[in-house]
């Protein structure tokens, strides 16, 4: 009897020992998981602070000073730089120039959606067409700009050389007028349409086919399927594409920089090329900072308006 009681006591001790060990191991595992999560959060936060938040705050502070970027002394001028930005006619001109990129971006989004809908169907060689349309996106931006600089050149353009073979006059793609901005924006359209098409294709393939089959049984036509099934189901992706497109159209840079240098007389200057020109050519870092912060404010305003239009509350 005594031995059995002693055995039960030993068994309880052993059980308690393993329970405590299991509890301690679970606790240690939870602590380890917590440390991993913290480190994964700390890394991106540090990088964001160093490379985004700090430069943005420092840029905002610089917009209140007159500084050439080299001298140690900075002269505080308050809101003078912002007043100079809003009263300078070149700022309005750059905004008008960027509007051309915005218009072409809308056309690009519509074209990408159309191509995605077509290539989502059962057509021959669709993988080949996907590859060909997507190919421009993987090319280097500056290389593409120089390629189009050759293409737009009145004397050496392959199209103009072909037309001259038949005694016809060449086409002036760059006329030194506002339409040059549309010609430059077309470069971005040619390059990014394939990328947007692939994004739309991914969204289209996530729509259950049963929805289309049920709608067809109810007598829905092709355009009704697109209007009432396709578009509502990819609304979020359309929102993202438009957001990226608006951001890109307002930050257009390499096309005018590589081809026209913002000329003639600033007719193809964009916000970014104008900011760089003010900062590095005219050595006015304060005004360049103010102009870039105005651009940031415009982008945030458009994002808020877009979210309201798409019915997003958060």
């Amino acid at each position: 009897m005594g031995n059995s009681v002693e055995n039960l006591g030993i068994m309880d001790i052993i059980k308690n020992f393993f329970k405590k060990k299991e509890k301690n191991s679970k606790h240690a595992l939870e602590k380890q998981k917590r440390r991993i999560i913290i480190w994964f959060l700390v890394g991106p936060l540090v990088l964001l602070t160093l490379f985004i938040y700090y430069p943005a705050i420092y840029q905002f502070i610089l917009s209140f000073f007159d500084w050439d970027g080299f001298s140690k002394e900075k002269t505080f001028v308050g809101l003078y730089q912002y007043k100079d930005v809003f009263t300078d006619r070149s700022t309005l001109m750059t905004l008008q120039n960027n509007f051309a990129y915005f218009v072409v971006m809308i056309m690009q989004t519509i074209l990408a959606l159309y191509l995605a809908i077509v290539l989502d169907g059962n057509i021959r060689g669709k993988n080949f067409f996907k590859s060909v349309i997507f190919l421009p996106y993987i090319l280097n931006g500056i290389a593409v700009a120089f390629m189009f600089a050759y293409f737009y050149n009145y004397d050496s353009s392959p199209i103009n050389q072909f037309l001259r073979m038949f005694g016809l006059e060449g086409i002036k793609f760059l006329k030194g007028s506002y339409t040059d901005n549309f010609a430059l924006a077309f470069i971005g359209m040619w390059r990014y349409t394939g990328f947007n098409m692939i994004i739309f294709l991914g969204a289209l393939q996530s729509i259950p086919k049963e929805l289309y089959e049920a709608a067809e049984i109810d007598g829905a036509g092709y355009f009704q399927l697109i209007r009432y099934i396709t578009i509502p189901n990819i609304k979020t992706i359309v929102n993202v594409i438009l957001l990226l497109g608006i951001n890109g159209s307002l930050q257009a840079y390499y096309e005018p920089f590589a081809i026209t240098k913002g000329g003639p007389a600033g007719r193809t200057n964009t916000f970014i090329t104008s900011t760089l020109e003010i900062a590095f050519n005219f050595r006015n870092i304060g005004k360049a900072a103010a102009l870039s912060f105005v651009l940031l404010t415009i982008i945030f305003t458009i994002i808020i308006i877009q979210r309201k239009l798409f019915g997003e509350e958060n």
Side-chain angles (χ1 to χ4, degrees):
M1 184 72 179
N3 290 334
S4 62
V5 172
E6 288 178 4
N7 290 335
L8 286 173
I10 293 171
M11 290 299 294
D12 289 337
I13 292 171
I14 294 172
K15 285 180 181 178
N16 290 331
F17 172 77
F18 282 107
K19 282 182 180 179
K20 286 180 180 180
K21 191 174 181 180
E22 186 179 357
K23 187 177 181 181
N24 291 334
S25 62
K26 284 183 179 179
H27 184 66
L29 185 61
E30 288 177 1
K31 285 180 68 176
Q32 187 178 3
K33 286 181 179 178
R34 198 177 297 113
R35 286 198 200 100
I36 293 172
I37 292 171
I38 290 171
W39 278 111
F40 270 99
L41 289 174
V42 167
L45 285 175
V46 170
L47 293 175
L48 281 171
T49 302
L50 287 176
F51 297 106
I52 295 181
Y53 297 138
Y54 172 73
I57 294 170
Y58 186 65
Q59 172 188 291
F60 179 66
I61 294 171
L62 282 179
S63 66
F64 297 101
F65 289 86
D66 184 15
W67 184 45
D68 61 3
F70 292 100
S71 60
K72 294 182 179 179
E73 295 183 0
K74 302 180 183 72
T75 305
F76 181 76
V77 293
L79 295 174
Y80 174 79
Q81 303 288 10
Y82 290 95
K83 181 182 176 182
D84 191 22
V85 166
F86 287 110
T87 55
D88 192 353
R89 290 185 61 187
S90 63
T91 304
L92 179 61
M93 183 180 291
T94 57
L95 186 61
Q96 291 173 338
N97 295 342
N98 278 101
F99 182 73
Y101 291 85
F102 174 78
V103 172
V104 174
M105 181 275 297
I106 297 296
M107 297 168 58
Q108 167 192 307
T109 304
I110 295 172
L111 177 61
L113 179 58
Y114 170 75
L115 291 172
I117 292 172
V118 170
L119 293 177
D120 189 46
N122 296 321
I123 62 171
R124 276 188 172 184
K126 62 180 180 180
N127 290 330
F128 169 76
F129 289 114
K130 288 177 188 177
S131 302
V132 170
I133 297 170
F134 181 74
L135 181 64
Y137 177 72
I138 66 176
L139 301 177
N140 179 269
I142 294 295
V144 170
F146 279 116
M147 181 183 71
F148 271 88
Y150 172 75
F151 183 81
Y152 284 158
N153 187 281
Y154 181 75
D155 297 320
S156 60
S157 173
I159 292 179
N160 289 346
Q161 291 181 3
F162 178 76
L163 292 174
R164 291 188 187 108
M165 289 172 57
F166 298 94
L168 300 173
E169 189 177 351
I171 302 171
K172 273 197 171 184
F173 296 98
L174 300 176
K175 302 177 182 178
S177 62
Y178 182 75
T179 57
D180 291 356
N181 293 293
F182 288 97
L184 295 174
F186 174 78
I187 300 173
M189 180 178 179
W190 178 82
R191 188 180 177 210
Y192 290 103
T193 297
F195 173 76
N196 291 346
M197 179 198 71
I198 294 298
I199 300 298
F200 280 133
L201 269 171
L204 291 173
Q205 290 172 2
S206 67
I207 302 174
K209 300 300 180 184
E210 293 80 6
L211 292 176
Y212 291 104
E213 293 172 0
E216 287 175 353
I217 292 172
D218 291 336
Y222 181 74
F223 292 103
Q224 289 176 318
L225 293 175
I226 294 174
R227 179 180 177 183
Y228 294 107
I229 295 180
T230 302
I231 301 299
N233 278 280
I234 62 170
K235 182 180 175 181
T236 303
I237 299 299
V238 173
N239 190 12
V240 172
I241 293 294
L242 287 175
L243 178 62
L244 294 174
I246 291 170
N247 186 51
S249 63
L250 287 172
Q251 298 192 55
Y253 163 66
Y254 68 83
E255 298 96 339
F257 176 80
I259 298 177
T260 62
K261 303 297 182 184
R267 286 191 178 94
T268 58
N269 251 337
T270 61
F271 261 105
I272 302 299
T273 58
S274 181
T275 301
L276 293 175
E277 184 180 24
I278 291 169
F280 298 105
N281 292 353
F282 298 106
R283 300 297 179 189
N284 192 342
I285 303 299
K287 185 178 179 180
L291 188 61
S292 60
F293 194 77
V294 168
L295 174 61
L296 182 65
T297 305
I298 292 172
I299 291 174
F300 272 114
T301 303
I302 292 175
I303 289 173
I304 293 171
I305 294 172
Q306 182 183 339
R307 290 172 70 89
K308 292 291 183 183
L309 291 175
F310 275 79
E312 293 187 12
E313 297 180 359
N314 299 319

